[in-house]
Amino acid sequence: MTLRAFLFAALFAMPAEAQTDPSKAALDAVQMLEEASIALNNAENARDRVRALTETIQAYEAGLAAMREGLRRAATREAQLNAELRSSEDEIAQLLGVLQTIETTAPSVLMLHPSGPLGTARAGMMLSEVTPGLNAHAQALAHDLQEVQTLRQLQQSAAETLTEGLTGVQSARTQLSTAIADRTDLPVRFVEDPVRTAILISSTETLDGFARGLTEIANGEIAATNADVSSRKGKIALPVQGILLHRAGETDAAGVKRPGMVLGTRPRAIVTSPTAATIRYRGPLLDLGNLVILEPQPGLLFVFSGLQEVYGNIGQVIPEGTPVGLMPGETPGIGAILSTSGDGTGTDRSETLYIEVRQDNSPVDPESWFRTGKDG
């Protein structure tokens, strides 16, 4: 039985008030992954295949993250219930004994009392008052045991869904690389001169120096643009799903202070352009690894570094949401996801993306442009 089929059977067999949040969260994640699978099939014939595949990858990433969280919560809830049941073993044994006695004893014998009719009447009154409480306790116990079984089977049945999800997102990433390489419909503001680019890289020792010399890498004039994103200042979404690790000016793990901020992301997360922009540079630079420099408007640069793969060509004008790269690392296998399902510390965000914003050739606080109040 698939995880989706099991969850449907388990959830709808239980009263609405008995359906557990972890179970429903996992069912929602299954739905997300199924929708991503459908989107991947549809992307083959999409008019804008790059956008379709980008949205598909983001859907898979969201679904896998939701599944991981659902399994984590399920493991936590199961452990809590098991601990509660173990701590109540004596009480449960007594309850079962009383229930078994009531069930197996004939009513006529059960109602007899050695003190005669008055004692029998009193015993009947006491029994009528106690029985509903015993029934309620027994039903609560049955509910807890059923929940433990559901949560345990949920975790055991997750492997198939995770396999399909991980396979799907990997296929979408491969197809995306091909679709971007085949794309020829984007406008171009300038053509790069590789020799000039190489000279600029070799003659600069800092990102600041390289950014100031970007106009030198063009083979000819750079077309003017009236692009303007100033109305979105402070509201622009982050380019990747991630959590803020270091703000601008804070000391990082290496003891270095940088004018940009650092996001923690999952391995192989997709990074997209947060606005329409010109690709001013993409590739390796200094000790920053692979990076992309985008120009949303004249005098404003967004720098994203720490990528493993970079997409697009220097000089292209790309729409908002266009993929510009993938984060490094290896996507966790099924075993790793299941084994860390009880970890809610965010340690799955093992990769880091450095974001620097430069305005009029000077770095400014990225949070003055990007919305960072919520995990992407």
Side-chain angles (χ1 to χ4, degrees):
M1 178 182 292
T2 65
L3 177 58
R4 179 179 176 81
F6 162 72
L7 284 175
F8 267 123
L11 288 176
F12 289 109
M14 300 169 65
E17 64 273 12
Q19 296 175 12
T20 67
D21 286 342
S23 298
K24 289 191 290 185
L27 181 58
D28 290 342
V30 171
Q31 182 69 31
M32 294 169 70
L33 290 172
E34 288 186 350
E35 291 174 356
S37 178
I38 294 171
L40 179 59
N41 291 331
N42 294 337
E44 181 68 29
N45 299 317
R47 183 173 182 180
D48 187 343
R49 195 156 177 261
V50 170
R51 177 176 292 278
L53 287 168
T54 301
E55 293 173 351
T56 296
I57 292 172
Q58 291 170 332
Y60 269 119
E61 289 179 347
L64 288 169
M67 176 62 74
R68 186 186 186 102
E69 174 63 13
L71 291 175
R72 183 191 69 80
R73 292 168 60 187
T76 301
R77 177 62 177 160
E78 183 191 350
Q80 175 189 352
L81 287 170
N82 282 330
E84 291 175 357
L85 291 171
R86 282 195 299 270
S87 66
S88 305
E89 284 181 351
D90 292 341
E91 182 182 353
I92 292 171
Q94 292 176 3
L95 171 63
L96 293 176
V98 171
L99 291 173
Q100 187 175 17
T101 299
I102 294 175
E103 182 181 20
T104 58
T105 304
S108 57
V109 176
L110 189 65
M111 296 299 294
L112 291 177
H113 196 276
S115 61
L118 181 60
T120 298
R122 288 175 176 171
M125 294 173 61
M126 292 177 62
L127 186 61
S128 65
E129 292 179 357
V130 171
T131 300
L134 291 174
N135 285 335
H137 198 168
Q139 289 174 4
L141 174 60
H143 168 268
D144 288 347
L145 291 172
Q146 175 62 44
E147 187 175 350
V148 168
Q149 181 183 21
T150 299
L151 294 172
R152 187 169 299 162
Q153 291 183 15
L154 183 158
Q155 296 170 78
Q156 293 171 348
S157 304
E160 181 180 347
T161 301
L162 288 171
T163 297
E164 294 174 353
L166 293 171
T167 301
V169 72
Q170 181 57 41
S171 175
R173 288 170 181 151
T174 301
Q175 293 183 43
L176 177 64
S177 298
T178 302
I180 291 176
D182 294 342
R183 187 174 220 177
T184 59
D185 60 339
L186 294 178
V188 177
R189 285 184 59 205
F190 68 93
V191 177
E192 177 204 12
D193 185 328
V195 175
R196 291 183 179 182
T197 301
I199 292 173
L200 177 62
I201 292 174
S202 63
S203 62
T204 55
E205 298 180 353
T206 64
L207 175 59
D208 182 81
F210 182 79
R212 290 176 183 274
L214 276 178
T215 55
E216 302 174 11
I217 70 174
N219 182 9
E221 294 294 324
I222 298 177
T225 176
N226 59 359
D228 186 357
V229 296
S230 57
S231 64
R232 299 174 59 185
K233 189 173 183 180
K235 305 173 186 177
I236 297 175
L238 293 171
V240 67
Q241 292 183 351
I243 55 176
L244 182 61
L245 298 180
H246 299 289
R247 289 186 161 85
E250 290 184 347
T251 303
D252 62 19
V256 178
K257 290 184 179 181
R258 297 185 186 274
M261 64 183 179
V262 178
L263 299 181
T265 78
R266 292 185 175 89
R268 307 298 289 164
I270 191 169
V271 180
T272 60
S273 178
T275 66
T278 301
I279 301 178
R280 295 302 302 268
Y281 176 77
R282 66 119 172 108
L285 181 68
L286 305 172
D287 61 345
L288 298 172
N290 269 336
L291 60 77
V292 173
I293 300 179
L294 303 177
E295 183 186 61
Q297 68 183 36
L300 179 67
L301 299 177
F302 292 161
V303 182
F304 306 144
S305 76
L307 301 163
Q308 178 168 310
E309 299 175 32
V310 287
Y311 299 138
N313 295 319
I314 297 174
Q316 283 182 331
V317 181
I318 57 177
E320 179 177 339
T322 298
V324 294
L326 290 176
M327 296 301 294
E330 295 293 334
T331 302
I334 297 169
I337 293 176
L338 293 175
S339 67
T340 59
S341 59
D343 179 15
T345 62
T347 52
D348 57 319
R349 311 296 182 102
S350 58
E351 307 304 322
T352 55
L353 180 73
Y354 175 71
I355 299 177
E356 185 168 314
V357 176
R358 302 183 62 83
Q359 196 164 3
D360 299 326
N361 288 324
S362 297
V364 298
D365 187 351
E367 290 189 81
S368 65
W369 283 92
F370 288 98
R371 184 178 70 247
T372 58
K374 184 179 179 182
D375 178 9

